[in-house]
Amino acid sequence: MSQFIVKGGGRLRGETAIQGAKNSVLPILAAALLTADQVELRGCPRLRDVDASVRILEGLGCTARWEGTNTLVVNARDMNAWSIPDRLCREMRSSAIFLGSILARCGQAELSYPGGCELGPRPIDLHLSGLRDLGAEIDDTGGVLHCKASHLCGREIVLSLPSVGATENLMLAACGASGVTTIANAAREPEIVDLQNFLIACGARVRGAGSSTVCIECPGPLHGCTYTVMPDRIVAATYLCAAASAGGEVFLRGAREEHLSTVTAVLREAGCSILADEAGVGCCCQNRLSAVRPVRTAPYPGFPTDAQAILMAALLKSQGATVFEENMFENRYRHVDELTRMGANIRVSGRAAVVSGVECLHGAPVRCTDLRGGAALCVAALAAEGETSVREISHIDRGYEDLAGDLQALGASVLRTGD
C-alpha cells in the first residue's frame, strides 16, 4: 500500500509550480460533452478524479487522450450513450456534474448517486430542483436518477443556498435550453468563473460568474476550443501552510493571491510574510506562529472549507489557542484524531474545534481520512520531530498531482513508497 514517509524538522526553501485546479477541470470535462467537437485542455492535472472523469467520457462514447504532460484532448463527436455505470459514479462526488451536460446533449440522463469523500450529507436536491425548473422530469427510484427532458426552457432559478455543484450543473444544463437562464444566489467561487470562461470559449453567452447572479444563453451549437485551466487555489493554500508549519521561504509559481485572500490574511495574522505578484505568491515564515482570531468556514469569498484542516495543521505549534468553526460539512474534523497522534492539542465540540499550540510535535504512523485531511497530515508532519508515515494516500491522489514531488522541490524530506 502506498504511503508518504515524511521526515520533519527542516525548514523549507525553494519554488514549485501550482497545478491546474481539480475543482475547475472536473466541470469543464463535463462541459466538453456539450460540443460535438474537439476540446484541448491545457494545464490539466493528472489526478484520480480526472482519470475517473475520463473513464466516464469514454463510457459515453467520447475519446480522450493525453498529449505531453498536462494537456488532455477530448472529442465528444461520437457520444452514443447517456447512462453512467454505478461503479464510476461511486468513485467521486463530482460525477453528479455530468447530469446537466448529458441532459442538455441527449435529452435524457441516468446515473446513480455519487460517491467521494465521506464528509457528511451533501444532497444534490438543489441540482435536481433546478433541473426540474428547466423542464426535466426526474425519477430517483432505487437510488438511480432517471432524467428526461424533451425540451429545456430557460428561466430564473433561485438557489436556497449558493451551492457550487448546483450552480455548475445548472450552467451546463442551461446550454441546452432555449432562451435565457438566470441563476440567482449562485456560488461565487473562482472555479465558477473558469467554467464561464470555458463556455464562452466554446461559443455560449454567459455573464455574471463571480457574482451572485449568472445568466446563460446558448443561441446555437457550441464548438471546440483550446483552454488553459486556472491554478488550484487549495493546492497553493496547502504549500503556503506547509511553509508556515515548517518555517522557511517558498515561492509558488502561478498561484493567484486574489483566489487565496482569506487564507493569506490568516497566515499574515499568524506571523507569515506573504508577497504576491503576477508570477505567483511567496511565503516567508521565520518565527513561531501566533494564534489567530476565530476561523469560520463559509462559501466564497469566505474562508474555504477545503483549507480548514490544512490551516489547522499549520497552527498546531502556534503560541496561544485558535478556534475553528466548520459551517459547510458535518464530518470535516475526521483528521483531528490523527493529528493528536502526533502530539497536537485539539478539542472538538460539534462544529467547533479549539487548537491549543504545543511546543513540539512528534512523528507517528497516521492514515488519511479524506483528501484535505490527508494533506493536513503532511503539513503537520513537516513540523514534527522524527519520521511520520502517512498511509492510505489514495485520498490525496484525488486532488494532488504530485504532493511529494512538490514538497521535495520546496526542500522537504518526503518519500513516496509502496507503489
Side-chain angles (χ1 to χ4, degrees):
M1 182 178 294
S2 299
Q3 63 177 347
F4 291 136
I5 304 299
V6 184
K7 293 181 180 179
R11 301 175 73 82
L12 302 188
R13 183 173 296 277
E15 67 175 64
T16 191
I18 298 301
Q19 68 183 55
K22 164 188 176 288
N23 290 334
S24 185
V25 75
L26 299 181
I28 287 176
L29 285 173
L33 294 175
L34 297 170
T35 170
D37 205 345
Q38 179 171 291
V39 168
E40 182 177 307
L41 290 181
R42 297 179 177 175
C44 183
R46 294 201 174 205
L47 307 169
R48 284 186 61 206
D49 277 8
V50 171
D51 290 340
S53 294
V54 166
R55 288 193 291 273
I56 288 174
L57 291 170
E58 291 173 340
L60 295 171
C62 309
T63 62
R65 71 178 188 278
W66 290 97
E67 290 188 353
T69 304
N70 290 111
T71 296
L72 183 61
V73 179
V74 177
N75 195 318
R77 179 188 59 192
D78 297 325
M79 180 180 179
N80 56 17
W82 41 266
S83 177
I84 302 178
D86 177 73
R87 60 182 174 79
L88 293 179
C89 289
R90 291 181 180 276
E91 287 191 27
M92 64 173 188
R93 176 70 186 178
S94 298
S95 60
I97 202 63
F98 282 90
L99 187 58
S101 55
I102 296 175
L103 191 62
R105 174 78 181 268
C106 303
Q108 57 184 334
E110 181 180 284
L111 67 158
S112 59
Y113 279 91
C117 288
E118 298 177 6
L119 301 177
R122 292 190 285 178
I124 60 172
D125 296 354
L126 292 180
H127 303 230
L128 304 184
S129 63
L131 292 174
R132 288 188 176 103
D133 287 341
L134 292 176
E137 299 177 0
I138 303 174
D139 177 11
D140 60 356
T141 304
V144 178
L145 297 170
H146 305 271
C147 307
K148 290 185 178 181
S150 57
H151 178 70
L152 295 173
C153 185
R155 57 163 295 176
E156 181 180 19
I157 300 170
V158 181
L159 298 178
S160 59
L161 57 88
S163 162
V164 174
T167 300
E168 293 169 340
N169 234 335
L170 296 176
M171 289 173 66
L172 298 180
C175 288
S178 60
V180 178
T181 298
T182 300
I183 305 171
N185 197 28
R188 299 166 58 187
E189 273 73 0
E191 292 81 7
I192 303 291
V193 179
D194 214 29
L195 178 59
Q196 170 183 270
N197 292 341
F198 173 79
L199 292 173
I200 291 173
C202 292
R205 297 174 183 171
V206 190
R207 67 182 188 277
S211 74
S212 58
T213 303
V214 181
C215 297
I216 309 99
E217 184 180 13
C218 197
L222 298 184
H223 53 74
C225 71
T226 297
Y227 189 79
T228 301
V229 180
M230 63 172 274
D232 196 308
R233 61 193 174 102
I234 304 302
V235 170
T238 301
Y239 300 156
L240 291 175
C241 287
S245 178
E249 186 172 357
V250 304
F251 184 75
L252 309 180
R253 294 195 311 277
R256 301 178 188 172
E257 193 187 11
E258 64 266 28
H259 296 166
L260 294 161
S261 58
T262 53
V263 177
T264 55
V266 174
L267 291 176
R268 285 190 176 99
E269 183 182 349
C272 298
S273 175
I274 305 290
L275 298 175
D277 56 28
E278 293 182 356
V281 179
C283 177
C284 179
C285 183
Q286 301 297 343
N287 302 308
R288 185 179 179 185
L289 299 182
S290 300
V292 298
R293 288 169 292 183
V295 177
R296 299 180 174 91
T297 64
Y300 191 88
F303 191 90
T305 182
D306 280 354
Q308 173 257 111
I310 298 160
L311 177 65
M312 181 182 290
L315 293 174
L316 295 179
K317 293 174 64 177
S318 63
Q319 292 179 304
T322 298
V323 176
F324 286 81
E325 184 179 312
E326 175 54 55
N327 297 306
M328 304 300 291
F329 294 116
E330 290 183 5
N331 295 337
R332 272 291 196 186
Y333 292 136
R334 299 176 67 210
H335 56 281
V336 167
D337 287 345
E338 300 304 305
L339 291 176
T340 58
R341 289 174 176 267
M342 303 170 67
N345 183 353
I346 308 171
R347 302 191 312 277
V348 176
S349 178
R351 292 186 176 273
V354 180
V355 178
S356 299
V358 296
E359 289 292 332
C360 66
L361 299 171
H362 53 79
V366 293
R367 67 177 185 86
C368 299
T369 56
D370 56 78
L371 169 55
R372 305 306 175 184
L377 297 179
C378 295
V379 168
L382 294 172
E385 297 178 358
E387 185 175 280
T388 298
S389 60
V390 183
R391 302 168 183 172
E392 299 183 30
I393 60 175
S394 58
H395 291 290
I396 294 176
D397 292 338
R398 290 186 48 244
Y400 295 82
E401 188 172 42
D402 185 10
L403 185 138
D406 287 343
L407 290 177
Q408 288 168 8
L410 298 176
S413 175
V414 184
L415 178 66
R416 181 177 182 130
T417 65
D419 288 327

